[in-house]
Amino acid sequence: MDARIDRTSEVGSRPANNLLRRLNQADYALLAPYVTVEDSAAGQLLYNPGDDVQVVHFPCGPSLATFLVPNEDGRDVETILVGREGAVGGIVSEGFLPAYTRICVKFSGPFARIHVGKLEAAKLRSASLRSIFVRYADCMLAQIFQSTACNAIHSIEQRTAKWILAAMERTGDESSVPLTHEQLATLLGVGRSYASRVLQSFRAEGVLDTRRGSILVRNRDGLKLRACLCNDAVKMHFEEVLRGVYPTEEREAG
C-alpha cells in the first residue's frame, strides 16, 4: 500500500492543477484515494445560490470555472475566474453550507473533484494541508477585492484586455481563448453590442482578431499595454502567499 501511495504522490502523476501539485507528498497522499477526474462541458453548472456545498472542484489544464452573481434584473455578472491555480467550493468551510453565487464551467476540460468531508478529514490530520487551503482562500479573497476595485475605476477597454490576458495565462494558450462576445459581455457586466464594439476597436489596432467562439491575440504586448495592472497585482499576491501556484509565463517557460 505504501508503494501505491508513493506513486500517486509523484507530482507528474497528479491532476494538472497547481494547487494539488503544490502539496507535499504526505499531504497529497491523504487526498489521492478520493480524488476523481472528469471532463466538464462549458456552461455546466457546479453550484446554484443556496445549494449545499459538498464537492470541491479543481480546474485542470485549460479548464476554467467562473463565479456569477445573479442580479434583480435577471443578468448574471461574473466576478472572478478560477483556473488550474485554484479550486471552487468548500475551500475553507466544513461544507454543507449554502453557495452564495452561481459557479459554472467557463472553459471545458478536466476537473479533479473531492468530497468536502474527505478534504476536511485530511485537514484535521495535517496542519500543512490546512495552511495551503487557508492561504489559497486568502488569494481568492484578494482576487475578489481587486476585481471590485477594477470594476469601479478602470475603463471597459482596460478590463477587456485584463480578462483576455487572465484567461490566456490560466489556460496556457499563448494565442487565443475560447471566448464569445456574449461571454465577454458577461465578464464585463455590459451589453453584447458594447463588448463587440470594444473588440472591434482592438481588432482595428491589430491587437486581436475574432473567430466564431474564440478571440485570437495578434499582439500580446499591445494587449498588455491596453490592460490595467489588476491581474498583475493578483499574481504578485499569489507569489507572496503561495509561490509557484499561479501559472506565470516565466515559470512555464522554465
Side-chain angles (χ1 to χ4, degrees), residues 9-11 14 17-32 58 119 126 128-133 242 245:
S9 294
E10 291 297 327
V11 171
R14 300 182 194 180
N17 175 277
N18 293 354
L19 191 59
L20 291 176
R21 293 186 171 191
R22 177 68 165 71
L23 303 178
N24 62 43
Q25 288 190 358
D27 284 346
Y28 185 71
L30 295 174
L31 305 181
F58 299 83
L119 177 59
S126 170
S128 58
L129 183 63
R130 290 197 302 275
S131 174
I132 290 290
F133 281 93
L242 269 179
V245 169

Side-chain angles (χ1 to χ4, degrees), residues 37-60:
V37 180
E38 300 174 1
D39 284 341
S40 295
Q44 180 178 330
L45 180 67
L46 301 180
Y47 287 110
N48 258 325
D51 286 350
D52 282 342
V53 177
Q54 299 186 35
V55 177
V56 184
H57 304 265
F58 299 83
C60 299

Side-chain angles (χ1 to χ4, degrees), residues 59-117:
C60 299
S63 305
L64 282 183
T66 182
F67 286 72
L68 303 103
V69 179
N71 287 276
E72 62 273 9
D73 62 1
R75 291 186 304 162
D76 288 335
V77 177
E78 296 193 55
T79 53
I80 62 171
L81 296 175
V82 177
R84 65 187 186 275
E85 82 286 353
V88 299
I91 304 301
V92 293
S93 73
E94 295 182 358
F96 303 104
L97 296 176
Y100 179 72
T101 67
R102 182 174 291 117
I103 304 177
C104 293
V105 176
K106 185 73 173 179
F107 296 167
S108 62
F111 278 72
R113 295 182 169 90
I114 186 170
H115 192 277
V116 168

Side-chain angles (χ1 to χ4, degrees), residues 177-197:
V177 290
L179 197 65
T180 66
H181 290 213
E182 186 172 353
Q183 288 174 322
L184 180 62
T186 305
L187 277 169
L188 298 170
V190 300
R192 185 185 186 281
S193 60
Y194 197 141
S196 296
R197 288 199 300 272

Side-chain angles (χ1 to χ4, degrees), residues 97 127 163 168 180 243 252:
L97 296 176
W163 278 120
M168 290 174 68
T180 66
R243 182 173 298 278
E252 291 175 3

